[in-house]
Amino acid sequence: RNQLRLFFFSSDVRPAEFAAGPKGEPRLPPFDTAGLSTNLGKALRRALAEGGGATAAALVFTDGASNAGEPPGDVLPTLSPFPVYFVGIGDPTPPKNLRVAEVLAREVVSKGDEVLIHARIEHRGLGGETAPLLLLKAPLGLDRPEPAGGQSVLLPSEGRGAEAVFRFTPQEIGEYVLTVKAEPVASESQTDDNARSVLIKVVDEKARILIVA
């Protein structure tokens, strides 16, 4: 008979012990839900390492969400030859999420000229709510962004994104990182996609345009 090993996983993987039932039969202990993310790929690799090459199979109880680390689809092919069986549990309602999908701006601008920064905001389960947005600026290489603007956008119905346009007038030459950040909303579990950046170069000259008529 095979020996069973039990692990809880979230952002990390933790070994656990089976509880004993009234007749001494093994039972699952209460689930530990203290993690802030789900790293399913790490859990699968840990199962392989703990088995020492002698793992016969893995049974994974999961809600199917994996929002950190390696995608499970990249890990599974490396776990051969033992099979992995998944048992779906949890709330089937997709978790709410707000993300900055795209940020666009001109790559080279002149000092003192206004720059338009276009941002596309996508969401899941937040239609009809208002999302506060911030524009942050920082010289390239310095991790001290400063506020450069702010606004709020109304999130449309499911499947549609919202557009936001920021205006920024650089007063110093150099390279700058402009970041559009969406403030996390209540009950949002994944926040690492709430910001996106673009790099612009500010030069001390006007564009020269030759018009031939």
Side-chain angles (χ1 to χ4, degrees):
R1 300 177 65 182
N2 292 323
Q3 180 182 5
L4 296 178
R5 299 291 304 275
L6 177 65
F7 298 92
F8 287 127
F9 67 92
S10 53
S11 54
D12 202 358
V13 184
R14 301 172 299 281
E17 299 293 336
F18 284 97
K23 299 181 179 180
E25 73 279 9
R27 288 189 174 184
L28 290 175
F31 283 14
D32 182 356
T33 59
L36 300 178
S37 61
T38 302
N39 193 334
L40 183 52
K42 186 176 183 179
L44 294 171
R45 288 203 181 280
R46 179 70 177 272
L48 175 63
E50 289 289 334
T55 301
L59 183 62
V60 183
F61 294 86
T62 174
D63 61 2
S66 183
N67 52 31
E70 294 179 271
D74 294 346
V75 176
L76 285 173
T78 69
L79 300 181
S80 180
F82 71 82
V84 179
Y85 302 99
F86 292 90
V87 178
I89 59 174
D91 187 349
T93 304
K96 295 181 179 181
N97 186 53
L98 178 66
R99 78 183 190 104
V100 180
E102 187 176 38
V103 176
L104 300 174
R106 285 162 44 203
E107 295 181 359
V108 180
V109 300
S110 296
K111 183 179 71 172
D113 283 356
E114 186 179 69
V115 185
L116 298 181
I117 300 98
H118 298 263
R120 182 164 56 87
I121 314 301
E122 296 181 349
H123 74 93
R124 182 176 56 237
L126 297 170
E129 297 190 26
T130 300
L133 305 177
L134 289 176
L135 176 65
L136 305 172
K137 67 172 183 176
L140 182 63
L142 295 181
D143 190 21
R144 296 195 301 270
E146 300 176 350
Q151 62 178 279
S152 295
V153 295
L154 179 64
L155 299 174
S157 59
E158 203 74 21
R160 298 173 54 203
E163 303 291 333
V165 179
F166 291 90
R167 299 176 183 271
F168 170 64
T169 303
Q171 301 297 334
E172 301 290 339
I173 63 173
E175 293 183 298
Y176 292 86
V177 177
L178 301 179
T179 301
V180 176
K181 179 181 179 181
E183 293 294 329
V185 298
S187 73
E188 185 178 13
S189 59
Q190 181 180 355
T191 58
D192 59 356
D193 57 358
N194 284 40
R196 191 172 292 270
S197 302
V198 65
L199 178 67
I200 67 169
K201 183 177 182 180
V202 182
V203 297
D204 193 17
E205 60 182 15
K206 298 294 183 181
R208 298 177 180 178
I209 302 175
L210 175 62
I211 300 177
V212 179

